[in-house]
Amino acid sequence: MPSGTTPPEPGASPVVSLTVEAGAAVLTLDRPARHNALDLDAAAELADALSDVEARTGSGEVRALVLTGAGGAFCAGRDISGVDPAAEDAGAVLEEVFNPLVQRLTDLSVPTLAAVEGPALGVGLGLALACDLVLAGEDAKLGSPFARLGAVLDSGGHLLLTERVGRARALELIYTARLLSGTEAAAWGLITRAVAPGTALPETRQLAGALAAGPTAAFTASKRLLARIRDEALPLPEVLSLEAQAQREASRSADYREGFAAFQAKRVPVFTGS
């Protein structure tokens, strides 16, 4: 088994795997026959994997995370095959199973990136948009098909969609169940970048590796500041004050000193996240 790989339970057939190389982790959903749709067992595996990631970010082993799917698909949403809609509390399923996944991914302190091929629908779209950056194949399909089910967009989509594409376009996707290609999603600002089909994972891993080698403590400060600005709707004077506070704290770090020294010596900096 490769170094840094989370081992499966004895006798189990894992559908979520985690590998770590040079500070960049790759978390892979692996149910290709179901386009990586998540049933409750797969969701539990993903929760366990996120716990592993959280522990490794705390130790400094993981400094960036890539979320992706196997078999040419990202995640087609919740696997509802065999689900009796009259027999379950749909709200409870969200509150207890899927919402915590989106929240925990959003709350990770390190840079997070989604590598999307094929469908990213429903909770799959929510998981992708919970990442800081999204790279998708030009022929990927992203959106909310919930109107076809008589269901309400969930997995944070009302916020995550709106803050990326605006209210009008978010409502268009909700009302029409239209799916955007990766190319369209990039043009709308829904994702970071569209890439050639089949290259989302290598392109994203390359970017994650560069971020993992960067000043990740400073990245964490910016990520937390942006979340606070969004959650508290902070005015400019308070943002300026918080930036000054964050810069004061960064200036005491080893990475800050290394960055200045490297710039002055005209060499490439070597950051450690400290």
Side-chain angles (χ1 to χ4, degrees), residues 105-127:
L105 189 56
T106 301
D107 289 345
L108 280 174
S109 60
V110 298
T112 54
L113 307 90
V116 176
E117 300 282 1
L121 312 175
V123 68
L125 178 66
L127 291 172

Side-chain angles (χ1 to χ4, degrees), residues 75-264:
C75 175
R78 181 188 174 191
D79 187 349
I80 59 172
S81 58
V83 172
D84 180 355
E88 75 166 13
D89 181 338
V93 172
L94 287 174
E95 291 171 347
E96 297 169 11
V97 179
F98 293 105
N99 289 357
L101 297 177
V102 174
Q103 188 68 63
R104 289 173 69 185
L105 189 56
T106 301
D107 289 345
L108 280 174
S109 60
V110 298
T112 54
L113 307 90
V116 176
E117 300 282 1
L121 312 175
V123 68
L125 178 66
L127 291 172
L129 298 185
C131 294
D132 303 325
L133 307 177
V134 183
L135 275 63
E138 294 166 341
D139 57 354
K141 294 296 180 185
L142 303 95
S144 167
F146 289 177
R148 300 170 192 163
L149 301 173
V152 175
L153 175 66
D154 57 33
S155 304
H158 288 87
L159 174 63
L160 299 173
L161 269 178
T162 302
E163 67 181 7
R164 289 176 183 248
V165 303
R167 181 179 183 275
R169 281 182 158 173
L171 284 173
E172 179 185 347
L173 294 178
I174 292 169
Y175 290 165
T176 65
R178 177 183 172 187
L179 303 183
L180 299 179
S181 69
T183 301
E184 292 171 314
W188 278 34
L190 182 62
I191 65 171
T192 310
R193 186 161 76 243
V195 297
T199 69
L201 182 55
E203 292 271 3
T204 307
R205 291 185 71 163
Q206 182 177 18
L207 178 55
L211 297 180
T216 48
F219 295 160
T220 294
S222 289
K223 186 170 179 175
R224 288 174 175 165
L225 183 55
L226 284 170
R228 186 169 175 184
I229 292 168
R230 178 192 66 197
D231 295 344
E232 300 179 23
L234 299 179
L236 179 59
E238 191 163 351
V239 173
L240 292 170
S241 177
L242 289 171
E243 287 175 340
Q245 179 181 333
Q247 195 73 289
R248 183 177 298 113
E249 293 172 358
S251 70
R252 302 184 182 120
S253 71
D255 276 354
Y256 189 95
R257 293 190 297 272
E258 165 64 8
F260 270 69
F263 179 84
Q264 292 164 353

Side-chain angles (χ1 to χ4, degrees), residues 257-274:
R257 293 190 297 272
E258 165 64 8
F260 270 69
F263 179 84
Q264 292 164 353
K266 295 182 172 57
R267 61 174 175 80
V268 177
V270 179
F271 294 118
T272 63
S274 61

